[in-house]
Amino acid sequence: MTIYQFLLLFLLWVCLPHFCSPEIMFRRTPVPQQRILGARVPRSDGKVLHRQKRGWMWNQFFLLEEYTGSDYQYVGKLHSDQDKGDGSLKYILSGDGAGTLFIIDEKTGDIHATRRIDREEKAFYTLRAQAINRRTLRPVEPESEFVIKIHDINDNEPTFPEEIYTASVPEMSVVGTSVVQVTATDADDPSYGNSARVIYSILQGQPYFSVEPETGIIRTALPNMNRENREQYQVVIQAKDMGGQMGGLSGTTTVNITLTDVNDNPPRFPQNTVHLRVLESSPVGTAVGSVKATDADTGKNAEVEYRIIDGDGTDMFDIITEKDTQEGIITVKKPLDYESRRLYTLKVEAENTHVDPRFYYLGPFKDTTIVKISVEDVDEPPVFSRSSYLFEVHEDIEVGTIIGTVMARDPDSASSPIRFSLDRHTDLDRIFNIHSGNGSLYTSKPLDRELSQWHNLTVIAAEINNPKEMTRVAVFVRILDVNDNAPQFAVFYDTFVCENARPGQLIQTISAVDKDDPLGGQKFFFSLAAVNPNFTVQDNEDNTARILTRKNGFNRHEISTYLLPVVISDNDYPIQSSTGTLTIRVCACDSQGNMQSCSAEALLLPAGLSTGALIAILLCIVILLVIVVLFAALKRQRKKEPLILSKEDIRDNIVSYNDEGGGEEDTQAFDIGTLRNPAAIEEKKLRRDIIPETLFIPRRTPTAPDNTDVRDFINERLKEHDLDPTAPPYDSLATYAYEGNDSIAESLSSLESGTTDGDQNYDYLREWGPRFNKLAEMYGGGDSDKDS
């Protein structure tokens, strides 16, 4: 069934004071949708083409955003050809915002918007409409889909993503140099009108900068802006929509622009001439003074390099550029002498290290100044003829021998006499001494190269007239070697020989060391001090020797140790030799010559247990330990038997509490106040470990007066227990935390009770079995005990 629907649009003009609302109704031709007409067009290939004719398709409503009226905003009207106006049809609306944002009059088909709509939140809404029969609820038209598009109005001002921008541009830039680009966004519809068309303008920052209206690019507007005159600029940029026309909305942002430095200023010395002074005693490298050229630039553009380009002191002084302070430090290059020259003149140049070729026309980027340095006279200390001395002497010289002489002079015109001395901190053992007048150095103790090969001494030369003026010089004494030490074994040798050794068998290789250090190197000779029938020495001629056996077989039971003297001599002059003794043990060895045992007692020791036997013993021990642990665990889990198994099983019970009190001073263990106040004692309670034969009501003991003595109270309690016929037939031990005089009741045991004088017959105890024999013996012999 075909639907005829009408579309109503509201067209608004911003310029008019009131909105006008003309109605435009569109009616669709009653042609069935997707209808295919029967016209046939023949093709050249014999096939027939079918042409499909479509009806006019409506699909859009238009609605103005931000409606401010008091009534619901009218959107449009839906109407069907089947609507006869009798109310039999019902219009239904579904889709985006249906029922909440958009409502439809189910009788007339009028669509209204219930609240203000913001296009920036959503630009269009897709809905579906249908006409149904009100009685049968069956559709009379197929469901149709349409779109409500929201028309934009200029309700959003342009905004910048940043409130404050920071930018920089080099100073001295040409006009039109790009600084930074700012971009504002407008949430309005850019495809409808000029609501989102933004134009940029500059509100603050002229005439130094300008902005391109369309792009927002900020550019320089003045030539040769100098950072040294002004470094910071603040520019305010405005973005206005509606193409910048009157009535448009606008937003602003601030751009802080900094002029960066370029090297457009040469260095300049503040003075044409600089005067400096230096002492003639200043050592090489001493700073004399500094010069500094100022540069209005910053950073690397202000870096300056200093150098001496002329003057009569170029050989005596040097200049160093201090990077941190950008100063030129003038230092002493060679030792100065007031007596030789007293004034020097230098021409110092300062030049930029980073020069920009664009600003060569502002140059040259360097400057010069004259530096005059005056040398001042001082009382100089003595000067040695050399910076250091080296003396060589043999270690066997006699004490008092002169090993060398040091010389010094006073450089001053007065030429004061010099006195020499040794710095004893460099000669703690006082091996050397020096003549104070002529500087001759001699020995005062014997020398030994093996103890110290070098001696580093310090000689002091001081003016006699002014002892504070002194100079030190290093004196190196080298002790030359003399062959005065005999060679010895290099290490201690633990040597053994096998009992099954054969003649000529190697048992040890020996070597030697010598503390001396001859020029031709060490050379040792090895020999025996005497002919030995058991061993011999064979010199390898490489400072080692071999110890060989001379007989077949040794017996450690006869001789367990041999001492072999070996003579070691060197080949230096005079020849030195020594005798070292090797201790050779006789040991039992296997077939391959590996030592097994060297002591004769080892043969008497019984053979040890094998590994298998030891493992078996250890396993047995482990098994026994496991059994003991399991037995102990089972024993712990076994329940304890009750004290009395039955009524007939009557025996003495001994209950051990293992609780030892603290004596009379222990006031926490027991409150004796209970004894002094019998009225506070609890009623007598039954035993929990047995079941009494008859239940009885416990008797309450009369309350004693408050002044009752504790002894009387205990006696009453004792009498009560003795006369009580319901008392259990076994000993009961009652402990009272009171220590007094001996009890008049003596023993409280029922076996020796003092409450009866009659004899009791305990012969029935013998009938109870062997378990009660001991008890029968104790009670059965009562008569004999009394007779005795």
Side-chain angles (χ1 to χ4, degrees), residues 27-184:
R27 181 167 181 170
R28 192 173 64 176
T29 305
V31 178
Q33 294 183 356
Q34 309 295 331
R35 182 176 179 181
I36 302 176
L37 300 180
R40 296 184 176 182
V41 180
R43 291 179 58 179
S44 60
D45 55 1
K47 296 182 180 180
V48 178
L49 297 177
H50 298 273
R51 183 169 62 87
Q52 179 177 352
K53 182 177 181 181
R54 298 178 182 272
W56 175 82
M57 300 294 295
W58 70 278
N59 62 350
Q60 287 186 350
F61 286 113
F62 295 92
L63 186 65
L64 191 66
E65 70 166 335
E66 302 294 345
Y67 173 71
T68 59
S70 59
D71 298 333
Y72 287 167
Q73 188 176 6
Y74 185 73
V75 179
K77 185 180 183 65
L78 297 179
H79 187 74
S80 173
D81 290 344
Q82 303 296 327
D83 190 356
K84 305 302 183 181
D86 56 358
S88 61
L89 295 184
K90 179 180 179 180
Y91 295 95
I92 299 175
L93 189 66
S94 61
D96 294 342
T100 57
L101 179 59
F102 299 103
I103 59 175
I104 186 171
D105 190 333
E106 61 183 19
K107 294 182 179 180
T108 64
D110 293 331
I111 301 174
H112 291 81
T114 61
R115 61 177 176 82
R116 295 170 57 183
I117 299 176
D118 189 357
R119 187 203 65 83
E120 287 70 35
E121 294 181 0
K122 192 167 184 178
F124 63 91
Y125 297 84
T126 302
L127 295 97
R128 293 177 298 279
Q130 192 175 31
I132 64 174
N133 189 286
R134 187 179 295 275
R135 285 188 307 103
T136 64
L137 301 180
R138 293 183 177 180
V140 299
E141 295 281 355
E143 187 178 57
S144 299
E145 184 177 272
F146 64 95
V147 176
I148 298 178
K149 296 187 69 175
I150 309 302
H151 264 295
D152 184 47
I153 64 173
N154 188 21
D155 59 341
N156 292 278
E157 70 276 2
T159 58
F160 291 92
E162 301 289 342
E163 294 183 1
I164 298 177
Y165 289 84
T166 301
S168 61
V169 63
E171 64 173 332
M172 307 298 291
S173 297
V174 298
V175 176
T177 301
S178 175
V179 179
V180 69
Q181 182 179 13
V182 294
T183 303

Side-chain angles (χ1 to χ4, degrees), residues 142-322:
E143 187 178 57
S144 299
E145 184 177 272
F146 64 95
V147 176
I148 298 178
K149 296 187 69 175
I150 309 302
H151 264 295
D152 184 47
I153 64 173
N154 188 21
D155 59 341
N156 292 278
E157 70 276 2
T159 58
F160 291 92
E162 301 289 342
E163 294 183 1
I164 298 177
Y165 289 84
T166 301
S168 61
V169 63
E171 64 173 332
M172 307 298 291
S173 297
V174 298
V175 176
T177 301
S178 175
V179 179
V180 69
Q181 182 179 13
V182 294
T183 303
T185 58
D186 196 316
D188 294 326
D189 188 1
S191 62
Y192 181 77
N194 294 327
S195 298
R197 184 188 174 192
V198 178
I199 297 298
Y200 300 93
S201 61
I202 185 168
L203 301 181
Q204 177 182 329
Q206 294 176 332
Y208 306 103
F209 298 95
S210 63
V211 63
E212 293 184 357
E214 299 291 338
T215 64
I217 297 176
I218 301 174
R219 301 182 181 275
T220 58
L222 283 181
N224 301 328
M225 287 191 292
N226 196 337
R227 183 198 65 85
E228 288 73 30
N229 295 334
R230 183 177 177 182
E231 184 176 3
Q232 298 288 339
Y233 294 87
Q234 189 176 76
V235 178
V236 178
I237 302 297
Q238 181 190 62
K240 191 173 184 180
D241 58 12
M242 298 298 293
Q245 299 177 3
M246 183 179 297
L249 303 178
S250 63
T252 61
T253 187
T254 301
V255 182
N256 293 326
I257 301 176
T258 302
L259 296 183
T260 58
D261 185 57
V262 298
N263 192 6
D264 58 340
N265 295 280
R268 291 288 181 264
F269 282 106
Q271 299 175 352
N272 295 329
T273 304
V274 178
H275 294 274
L276 300 176
R277 297 177 180 273
V278 61
L279 299 176
E280 64 169 337
S281 59
S282 300
V284 175
T286 302
V288 178
S290 63
V291 292
K292 183 175 182 179
T294 58
D295 194 321
D297 298 320
T298 61
K300 68 176 184 178
N301 297 319
E303 292 182 0
V304 177
E305 187 72 25
Y306 297 91
R307 57 177 175 268
I308 299 174
I309 60 175
D310 198 4
D312 53 12
T314 55
D315 296 336
M316 305 300 296
F317 298 95
D318 200 358
I319 190 168
I320 302 172
T321 302
E322 178 63 37

